[in-house]
Amino acid sequence: MRKYSLSERGVSEAIGFILIFSMVIAGIGLVTLYGYPMLMQQQSSANEQIMEKNMIVLQNDVKSLAYKTVPYQETSLKVEGGSLTVYNTTSIPAVLKIDITNCGATQYVSAFQSGDLRYSSESAGTDISLQNGAVVMRPQVSPGSVNGSVMLAEPRWFYDNQTNTMVINLIGVNNTGIMSRTGISTVDTALGEINYTYVSPVNGPLCVVYTPDPGQDYSVAWDNYFMENLNNPPDISVSRSGTPGNGAQLTYTVSISQPMTLVIKRYDVVIKSL
């Protein structure tokens, strides 16, 4: 029988096993507590970035339909971490509404509603919307909160200095009803009705009235676009009435230095399936 020395009499295999087992459990707990949430956050961020690119691809499809008169487009994509939903031009409340007047009694566009193709992320808590030819993004916030938003890809509104012509393109998204998809999606789009409005000459200012959906307010993104991209001094200057981000109506006064031609094009894009 082995005799233990005084230094070995306090050693126990059970205690050693318990210590090692405790260290393993503590390591697993630390990974679960700190590592797993970081991994999920990275996955959510990756899904969001992928959908940003997907929505810009779909915007290019819409541009091909509207500006190149391509009759039909089809794009396959993978929707993860959320759902892709179509809200048409008759959705209540309207995704956005635009009125354009001569700042008086003459109305060039009356209550245009764009509808949108919207990705809602359940994991990242953001919405990405393809609306009126633009791709915009906003965080999901509670009603009544100030809504921040950013424009990822711009629509095609422009002023030609050489011919003194302003072109405004309005693109509506339509389908037979609300569609929603998650997972593998094939977005089939087709060009519907096209309407043109020519006004020449326009001698006074234009008033563009933008009304957001209070629950899906992208007015900060649109405000940045109107105030920065439509300003073309000295020919055109833009001023705003109202505060973006709180779901309220905004009015933009577009002042011109000389008579111009106004061209308003309205396109109807039909989403046949997701």
Side-chain angles (χ1 to χ4, degrees):
M1 181 177 180
R2 181 185 173 188
K3 295 183 179 180
Y4 292 92
S5 64
L6 293 176
S7 60
E8 294 179 314
R9 289 179 181 178
V11 176
S12 170
E13 293 181 359
I15 294 176
F17 175 80
I18 291 173
L19 289 174
I20 295 174
F21 183 75
S22 300
M23 292 171 61
V24 171
I25 295 300
I28 294 174
L30 288 173
V31 170
T32 304
L33 182 62
Y34 296 104
Y36 184 72
M38 293 179 62
L39 181 63
M40 293 303 296
Q41 185 178 5
Q42 290 180 353
Q43 182 63 46
S44 299
S45 178
N47 291 337
E48 182 180 319
Q49 292 176 8
I50 290 171
M51 284 308 301
E52 288 178 16
K53 295 177 182 178
N54 287 339
M55 296 299 277
I56 292 175
V57 170
L58 294 174
Q59 182 204 34
N60 290 330
D61 287 352
V62 170
K63 286 181 178 179
S64 296
L65 293 170
Y67 310 137
K68 300 178 183 178
T69 62
V70 175
Y72 181 82
Q73 287 285 107
E74 180 180 284
T75 297
S76 296
L77 49 90
K78 189 174 183 180
V79 182
E80 285 189 309
S83 60
L84 188 65
T85 307
V86 180
Y87 297 89
N88 59 30
T89 57
T90 58
S91 297
I92 299 175
V95 173
L96 68 82
K97 186 170 68 173
I98 291 178
D99 298 87
I100 302 176
T101 70
N102 67 342
C103 299
T106 303
Q107 198 147 24
Y108 304 128
V109 175
S110 176
F112 166 78
Q113 299 183 26
S114 71
D116 74 341
L117 180 60
R118 186 185 311 162
Y119 169 73
S120 295
S121 172
E122 298 175 358
S123 53
T126 56
D127 293 327
I128 305 174
S129 171
L130 172 57
Q131 54 179 244
N132 196 28
V135 179
V136 289
M137 182 172 70
R138 64 182 287 274
Q140 296 170 358
V141 297
S142 58
S145 302
V146 175
N147 293 276
S149 55
V150 64
M151 187 169 286
L152 304 177
E154 297 176 349
R156 190 174 293 184
W157 293 26
F158 62 91
Y159 177 77
D160 183 8
N161 301 73
Q162 301 298 320
T163 60
N164 295 327
T165 301
M166 175 173 280
V167 179
I168 297 176
N169 294 298
L170 302 175
I171 300 177
V173 174
N174 268 309
N175 63 343
T176 55
I178 295 178
M179 295 181 181
S180 186
R181 174 75 64 182
T182 187
I184 301 298
S185 174
T186 299
V187 183
D188 296 330
T189 52
L191 182 61
E193 187 177 354
I194 305 175
N195 291 305
Y196 296 90
T197 300
Y198 294 89
V199 184
S200 182
V202 175
N203 297 307
L206 294 177
C207 283
V208 179
V209 181
Y210 168 87
T211 307
D213 174 5
Q216 281 284 327
D217 185 358
Y218 298 93
S219 59
V220 172
W222 281 100
D223 177 74
N224 290 333
Y225 176 75
F226 289 142
M227 297 300 294
E228 295 177 9
N229 293 71
L230 293 187
N231 262 319
N232 192 4
D235 298 313
I236 291 180
S237 61
V238 181
S239 60
R240 178 191 67 233
S241 174
T243 303
N246 59 9
Q249 186 181 87
L250 302 172
T251 300
Y252 297 88
T253 303
V254 182
S255 302
I256 57 177
S257 61
Q258 56 186 327
M260 71 173 183
T261 300
L262 175 64
V263 181
I264 301 174
K265 302 178 181 180
R266 298 179 61 166
Y267 302 93
D268 184 33
V269 172
V270 181
I271 298 181
K272 295 182 173 293
S273 65
L274 288 181

